[in-house]
Amino acid sequence: MTTPVTPVLREMRWWDIDSVLELEKDLFPEDAWSRGMFWSELAHSRGPEATRRYVVAEEGERLVGYAGLASAGELADVQTIAVARDHWGTGLGSVLLTELLRAATAFECAEVMLECRIDNIRAQKLYERFGFEAIGFRRGYYQPGNVDALVMRLTTASESGSAAVSTSERGTEING
């Protein structure tokens, strides 16, 4: 009997784009990102002026997940999180989100925002476990399917400028 391999996270690089696109098209067939979108994001992920953090999760030679975050000032935005279907329920989504929140802290962001398909309950539950709260909707955000997005936010509990997860003293604000 072979021991299962634990996925390993590492920085996404240009040579990962083909594998990322395969997973992207499987998981998000109606609104998959293009090759150019990933190239553009990776162009902002290296060097002293980097504003992006993209990681992949590999299990052996296979890419089984990826995630990305963009930062601007004190605000970070989760751009994408994807986990191969055969790895759903393994905790890999939590591992990827934890890495993005670490990056938000490194970028000194006080808030982390994201959009999530209104019909993606699995993802919403993940974000809620990390302290994200629903603050509004974006009607018809996901095209071409015209699916609404739930907008969620995680705010730091301190003034330290880090996106540390803390559930105390966080108010709920609903914008529609």
Side-chain angles (χ1 to χ4, degrees), residues 19-59:
S19 297
V20 166
L21 285 173
E22 283 181 37
L23 196 50
E24 178 83 2
K25 288 173 184 166
D26 175 51
L27 297 170
F28 312 111
E30 287 186 354
D31 48 14
W33 282 22
S34 68
R35 179 179 307 277
M37 290 169 78
F38 280 106
W39 270 104
S40 177
E41 290 296 295
L42 291 182
H44 298 284
S45 68
R46 303 206 69 183
E49 302 298 316
T51 58
R52 307 287 194 275
R53 172 76 170 142
Y54 277 78
V55 295
V56 294
E58 288 181 315
E59 187 174 71

Side-chain angles (χ1 to χ4, degrees), residues 34-117:
S34 68
R35 179 179 307 277
M37 290 169 78
F38 280 106
W39 270 104
S40 177
E41 290 296 295
L42 291 182
H44 298 284
S45 68
R46 303 206 69 183
E49 302 298 316
T51 58
R52 307 287 194 275
R53 172 76 170 142
Y54 277 78
V55 295
V56 294
E58 288 181 315
E59 187 174 71
E61 298 293 314
R62 182 175 165 230
L63 190 137
V64 294
Y66 58 90
L69 177 111
S71 70
E74 291 191 358
L75 179 66
D77 190 62
V78 173
Q79 300 291 294
T80 187
I81 294 182
V83 173
R85 293 177 193 275
D86 62 338
H87 281 67
W88 286 3
T90 65
L92 182 54
S94 292
V95 170
L96 290 165
L97 183 54
T98 297
E99 178 57 29
L100 295 185
L101 294 178
R102 261 193 219 111
T105 298
F107 286 130
E108 299 182 352
C109 297
E111 285 187 326
V112 181
M113 304 286 291
L114 61 84
E115 290 87 16
C116 179
R117 285 178 64 107

Side-chain angles (χ1 to χ4, degrees), residues 88-95 97-98 101 114 121-134 152-154 165-167 170:
W88 286 3
T90 65
L92 182 54
S94 292
V95 170
L97 183 54
T98 297
L101 294 178
L114 61 84
I121 303 304
R122 175 187 300 273
Q124 290 171 35
K125 288 182 187 264
L126 168 67
Y127 301 135
E128 287 169 358
R129 282 196 311 270
F130 276 77
F132 281 85
E133 296 176 335
M152 301 183 83
R153 175 178 63 197
L154 175 66
V165 179
S166 171
T167 57
R170 233 188 260 143

Side-chain angles (χ1 to χ4, degrees), residues 121-166:
I121 303 304
R122 175 187 300 273
Q124 290 171 35
K125 288 182 187 264
L126 168 67
Y127 301 135
E128 287 169 358
R129 282 196 311 270
F130 276 77
F132 281 85
E133 296 176 335
I135 61 167
F137 298 92
R138 295 191 196 280
R139 304 282 177 214
Y141 183 78
Y142 293 98
Q143 295 296 329
N146 202 38
V147 177
D148 294 346
L150 178 64
V151 180
M152 301 183 83
R153 175 178 63 197
L154 175 66
T155 334
T156 159
S158 70
E159 298 299 316
S160 65
S162 69
V165 179
S166 171

